Coordinates of all heavy atoms in Angstrom, one line a residue:
K42 N 161.4 80.0 184.5 CA 160.0 79.9 184.6 C 159.6 79.0 185.8 O 158.4 79.0 186.2 CB 159.3 79.4 183.4 CG 159.4 80.5 182.2 CD 158.7 79.9 181.0 CE 158.7 81.0 179.9 NZ 158.1 80.5 178.7
T43 N 160.5 78.1 186.2 CA 160.2 77.1 187.3 C 160.2 77.8 188.7 O 161.2 78.4 189.0 CB 161.2 76.0 187.3 OG1 161.2 75.4 186.0 CG2 160.8 75.0 188.4
K44 N 159.1 77.7 189.3 CA 159.1 78.3 190.7 C 159.4 77.3 191.7 O 158.9 76.2 191.7 CB 157.6 78.9 190.9 CG 157.3 80.0 190.0 CD 155.9 80.6 190.3 CE 155.6 81.8 189.5 NZ 154.2 82.3 189.8
K45 N 160.2 77.7 192.6 CA 160.5 76.7 193.7 C 159.4 76.6 194.7 O 158.7 77.6 195.0 CB 161.8 77.2 194.5 CG 163.0 77.3 193.6 CD 164.2 77.7 194.4 CE 165.5 77.7 193.5 NZ 166.7 78.1 194.3
K46 N 159.2 75.4 195.1 CA 158.1 75.1 196.0 C 158.5 75.5 197.4 O 159.6 75.2 197.9 CB 157.7 73.7 196.0 CG 157.1 73.2 194.6 CD 156.7 71.8 194.7 CE 156.2 71.3 193.3 NZ 155.8 69.9 193.4
G47 N 157.5 76.1 198.1 CA 157.8 76.5 199.5 C 158.6 77.8 199.6 O 159.2 78.2 198.7
K48 N 158.6 78.4 200.8 CA 159.3 79.6 201.0 C 160.7 79.2 201.6 O 160.9 78.3 202.3 CB 158.6 80.4 202.1 CG 157.2 80.9 201.5 CD 156.5 81.8 202.6 CE 155.2 82.3 202.1 NZ 154.5 83.1 203.1
Q49 N 161.7 80.0 201.2 CA 163.1 79.7 201.6 C 163.6 81.0 202.3 O 164.6 81.6 201.9 CB 163.9 79.4 200.3 CG 163.4 78.2 199.6 CD 164.3 77.8 198.4 OE1 165.3 78.5 198.2 NE2 163.9 76.8 197.7
K50 N 162.9 81.3 203.3 CA 163.3 82.5 204.1 C 164.7 82.3 204.7 O 165.0 81.3 205.2 CB 162.4 82.8 205.2 CG 161.0 83.2 204.7 CD 160.1 83.6 205.9 CE 158.7 84.0 205.4 NZ 157.8 84.3 206.5
G51 N 165.5 83.4 204.6 CA 166.8 83.4 205.2 C 167.9 82.6 204.4 O 169.0 82.6 204.8
K52 N 167.5 81.9 203.3 CA 168.4 81.2 202.5 C 169.0 82.0 201.4 O 168.2 82.6 200.6 CB 167.8 79.9 201.9 CG 168.8 79.1 201.2 CD 168.1 77.8 200.7 CE 169.0 76.9 200.0 NZ 168.4 75.6 199.5
K53 N 170.3 82.1 201.3 CA 170.9 82.9 200.2 C 170.7 82.3 198.9 O 170.9 81.1 198.7 CB 172.4 83.1 200.5 CG 173.1 84.0 199.6 CD 174.5 84.2 199.9 CE 175.2 85.1 198.9 NZ 176.7 85.3 199.3
K54 N 170.2 83.1 197.9 CA 170.0 82.6 196.6 C 171.3 82.3 195.9 O 172.2 83.2 195.9 CB 169.2 83.6 195.8 CG 168.9 83.2 194.4 CD 168.1 84.2 193.6 CE 167.8 83.8 192.2 NZ 167.1 84.9 191.5
T55 N 171.4 81.2 195.3 CA 172.7 80.8 194.5 C 172.5 81.2 193.1 O 171.4 81.2 192.5 CB 173.0 79.3 194.6 OG1 171.8 78.6 194.1 CG2 173.2 78.9 196.0
K56 N 173.6 81.6 192.5 CA 173.5 82.1 191.1 C 173.9 80.9 190.2 O 174.7 80.1 190.5 CB 174.5 83.2 190.8 CG 174.2 84.5 191.6 CD 175.3 85.5 191.3 CE 175.0 86.8 192.1 NZ 176.0 87.8 191.9
S57 N 173.2 80.9 189.0 CA 173.6 79.9 188.0 C 174.9 80.3 187.3 O 175.3 81.4 187.4 CB 172.5 79.8 186.9 OG 172.4 81.0 186.2
K58 N 175.5 79.3 186.6 CA 176.7 79.6 185.9 C 176.5 80.7 184.9 O 177.4 81.6 184.8 CB 177.2 78.3 185.2 CG 178.5 78.5 184.5 CD 178.9 77.2 183.8 CE 180.2 77.3 183.1 NZ 180.6 76.0 182.4
N59 N 175.4 80.7 184.2 CA 175.2 81.7 183.1 C 175.1 83.1 183.8 O 175.5 84.1 183.2 CB 173.9 81.4 182.3 CG 174.2 80.4 181.3 OD1 175.3 80.2 180.9 ND2 173.1 79.8 180.8
E60 N 174.4 83.2 185.0 CA 174.3 84.4 185.6 C 175.6 85.0 186.1 O 175.8 86.2 186.0 CB 173.3 84.3 186.8 CG 171.9 84.1 186.4 CD 171.0 83.8 187.6 OE1 171.4 83.1 188.6 OE2 169.8 84.3 187.6
D61 N 176.5 84.1 186.5 CA 177.8 84.6 186.9 C 178.6 85.2 185.7 O 179.2 86.2 185.8 CB 178.6 83.4 187.5 CG 178.2 83.1 188.9 OD1 177.8 84.0 189.6 OD2 178.4 81.9 189.3
V62 N 178.5 84.5 184.6 CA 179.2 85.0 183.4 C 178.6 86.3 182.9 O 179.3 87.2 182.5 CB 179.2 83.9 182.2 CG1 179.8 84.4 181.0 CG2 179.8 82.6 182.7
D63 N 177.3 86.3 182.9 CA 176.6 87.5 182.5 C 176.9 88.7 183.4 O 177.2 89.8 182.9 CB 175.1 87.3 182.5 CG 174.3 88.5 181.9 OD1 174.5 88.8 180.7 OD2 173.5 89.1 182.7
E64 N 177.0 88.5 184.7 CA 177.3 89.6 185.6 C 178.8 90.1 185.3 O 179.1 91.3 185.4 CB 177.2 89.1 187.0 CG 177.5 90.2 188.1 CD 177.2 89.7 189.5 OE1 178.1 89.2 190.1 OE2 176.0 89.9 189.9
T65 N 179.7 89.1 185.1 CA 181.1 89.5 184.8 C 181.2 90.3 183.5 O 181.9 91.3 183.4 CB 182.0 88.3 184.7 OG1 181.9 87.5 185.9 CG2 183.4 88.6 184.4
L66 N 180.4 89.9 182.5 CA 180.4 90.6 181.2 C 180.0 92.0 181.4 O 180.6 92.9 180.8 CB 179.5 89.9 180.2 CG 179.3 90.5 178.9 CD1 180.6 90.4 178.1 CD2 178.2 89.9 178.1
H67 N 179.0 92.3 182.2 CA 178.4 93.6 182.3 C 179.1 94.5 183.4 O 178.5 95.4 183.9 CB 176.9 93.5 182.5 CG 176.2 93.1 181.3 ND1 176.2 93.8 180.1 CD2 175.6 92.0 181.0 CE1 175.6 93.2 179.2 NE2 175.2 92.0 179.7
K68 N 180.3 94.0 183.8 CA 181.0 94.9 184.7 C 181.7 96.0 184.0 O 182.3 96.9 184.5 CB 182.1 94.1 185.5 CG 181.5 93.2 186.6 CD 182.6 92.5 187.4 CE 182.0 91.7 188.5 NZ 183.0 90.9 189.3
K69 N 181.6 96.0 182.6 CA 182.1 97.1 181.8 C 181.3 98.4 182.2 O 180.1 98.3 182.5 CB 181.8 96.9 180.3 CG 182.6 95.7 179.7 CD 182.3 95.6 178.3 CE 183.1 94.4 177.6 NZ 182.7 94.3 176.2
P70 N 181.9 99.6 182.1 CA 181.2 100.8 182.4 C 180.1 101.0 181.4 O 180.2 100.7 180.3 CB 182.3 101.9 182.3 CG 183.3 101.3 181.5 CD 183.3 99.8 181.8
S71 N 179.0 101.5 181.9 CA 177.9 101.8 181.0 C 178.2 102.9 180.1 O 178.7 104.0 180.5 CB 176.6 102.2 181.9 OG 175.5 102.5 181.0
M72 N 177.9 102.7 178.8 CA 178.2 103.7 177.8 C 177.1 104.6 177.6 O 175.9 104.2 177.5 CB 178.6 103.0 176.5 CG 178.9 103.9 175.3 SD 179.4 102.9 173.9 CE 179.5 104.2 172.6
K73 N 177.3 105.9 177.4 CA 176.2 106.9 177.1 C 175.6 106.5 175.8 O 176.3 106.1 174.8 CB 176.8 108.3 177.1 CG 177.2 108.8 178.5 CD 176.1 109.1 179.4 CE 176.5 109.8 180.7 NZ 175.3 110.1 181.5
T74 N 174.3 106.7 175.7 CA 173.6 106.3 174.5 C 173.7 107.4 173.4 O 174.1 108.6 173.7 CB 172.2 106.0 174.8 OG1 171.5 107.2 175.2 CG2 172.1 105.0 175.9
A75 N 173.2 107.1 172.2 CA 173.1 108.1 171.1 C 172.2 109.3 171.5 O 172.4 110.4 171.2 CB 172.6 107.4 169.9
T76 N 171.1 108.9 172.3 CA 170.2 110.0 172.7 C 170.9 110.9 173.7 O 170.7 112.2 173.6 CB 169.0 109.3 173.5 OG1 168.3 108.4 172.6 CG2 168.0 110.4 174.0
D77 N 171.8 110.4 174.5 CA 172.6 111.3 175.4 C 173.5 112.3 174.6 O 173.6 113.4 174.9 CB 173.4 110.5 176.3 CG 172.6 109.6 177.3 OD1 171.6 110.1 177.7 OD2 173.1 108.5 177.6
V78 N 174.1 111.7 173.5 CA 175.0 112.5 172.7 C 174.2 113.6 172.0 O 174.6 114.8 171.9 CB 175.7 111.7 171.7 CG1 176.6 112.5 170.8 CG2 176.6 110.6 172.4
I79 N 173.0 113.2 171.4 CA 172.2 114.2 170.8 C 171.8 115.3 171.7 O 171.9 116.5 171.3 CB 170.9 113.5 170.2 CG1 171.3 112.5 169.1 CG2 169.9 114.5 169.7 CD1 170.2 111.6 168.7
S80 N 171.4 115.0 172.9 CA 171.0 116.1 173.8 C 172.2 117.0 174.2 O 172.0 118.2 174.3 CB 170.5 115.4 175.1 OG 169.3 114.6 174.9
R81 N 173.3 116.4 174.3 CA 174.5 117.2 174.6 C 174.8 118.2 173.5 O 175.1 119.4 173.7 CB 175.7 116.2 174.8 CG 177.0 117.0 175.1 CD 177.0 117.7 176.5 NE 178.3 118.3 176.7 CZ 179.3 117.7 177.3 NH1 179.2 116.4 177.7 NH2 180.4 118.4 177.6
I82 N 174.8 117.7 172.2 CA 175.1 118.6 171.1 C 174.0 119.7 171.0 O 174.2 120.8 170.7 CB 175.2 117.8 169.8 CG1 176.4 116.8 169.9 CG2 175.4 118.7 168.6 CD1 176.5 115.8 168.8
M83 N 172.7 119.3 171.2 CA 171.6 120.2 171.1 C 171.7 121.3 172.1 O 171.4 122.5 171.8 CB 170.3 119.4 171.3 CG 170.0 118.5 170.1 SD 169.4 119.4 168.6 CE 167.9 120.1 169.2
W84 N 172.1 121.0 173.4 CA 171.9 122.0 174.5 C 173.1 122.5 175.1 O 173.1 123.4 175.9 CB 171.0 121.3 175.6 CG 169.7 120.8 175.1 CD1 169.3 119.5 175.0 CD2 168.6 121.6 174.5 NE1 168.1 119.4 174.4 CE2 167.6 120.7 174.2 CE3 168.4 122.9 174.4 CZ2 166.4 121.1 173.6 CZ3 167.2 123.4 173.9 CH2 166.2 122.4 173.5
D85 N 174.3 122.0 174.6 CA 175.5 122.6 175.1 C 175.9 123.8 174.3 O 176.3 123.6 173.1 CB 176.6 121.5 175.1 CG 177.9 121.9 175.8 OD1 178.2 123.2 175.9 OD2 178.7 121.1 176.2
D86 N 175.9 125.0 174.8 CA 176.1 126.2 174.1 C 177.6 126.3 173.6 O 177.9 127.1 172.7 CB 175.8 127.4 174.9 CG 174.4 127.6 175.2 OD1 173.5 127.0 174.5 OD2 174.0 128.2 176.2
S87 N 178.5 125.5 174.1 CA 179.9 125.6 173.7 C 180.1 124.7 172.4 O 181.2 124.7 171.9 CB 180.8 125.1 174.8 OG 180.6 123.7 175.1
L88 N 179.1 124.0 172.0 CA 179.2 123.1 170.8 C 178.4 123.6 169.7 O 177.3 124.1 169.9 CB 178.7 121.7 171.2 CG 179.4 121.0 172.3 CD1 178.8 119.6 172.5 CD2 180.9 120.9 172.2
E89 N 179.1 123.6 168.5 CA 178.4 124.1 167.3 C 177.8 122.9 166.6 O 178.5 121.9 166.2 CB 179.4 124.8 166.4 CG 179.9 126.1 166.9 CD 178.8 127.2 166.8 OE1 177.8 127.0 166.1 OE2 178.9 128.2 167.6

């Protein structure tokens, strides 16, 4: 919530420790959702 004072043009933003861990955690491949599975079963003619 804290806004840095002044503009920091051209300065590369540094990541916090929590952001680094969070980014590493979410390098897992994204899993298709239940809604995706429902749509597949509903509309794929090869599935009963």
Side-chain angles (χ1 to χ4, degrees):
K42 288 182 178 179
T43 303
K44 295 183 178 180
K45 294 183 179 181
K46 296 181 180 180
K48 296 181 180 180
Q49 300 182 5
K50 293 183 179 180
K52 184 175 180 180
K53 184 177 180 180
K54 181 181 177 181
T55 58
K56 297 180 181 178
S57 69
K58 181 178 179 181
N59 279 342
E60 288 176 323
D61 283 332
V62 176
D63 185 62
E64 183 176 88
T65 302
L66 177 69
H67 290 295
K68 285 183 179 179
K69 295 179 180 179
S71 178
M72 179 179 174
K73 292 289 188 179
T74 66
T76 301
D77 295 324
V78 178
I79 292 167
S80 298
R81 178 67 177 272
I82 299 172
M83 289 286 292
W84 304 113
D85 189 334
D86 292 337
S87 67
L88 304 179
E89 291 291 337

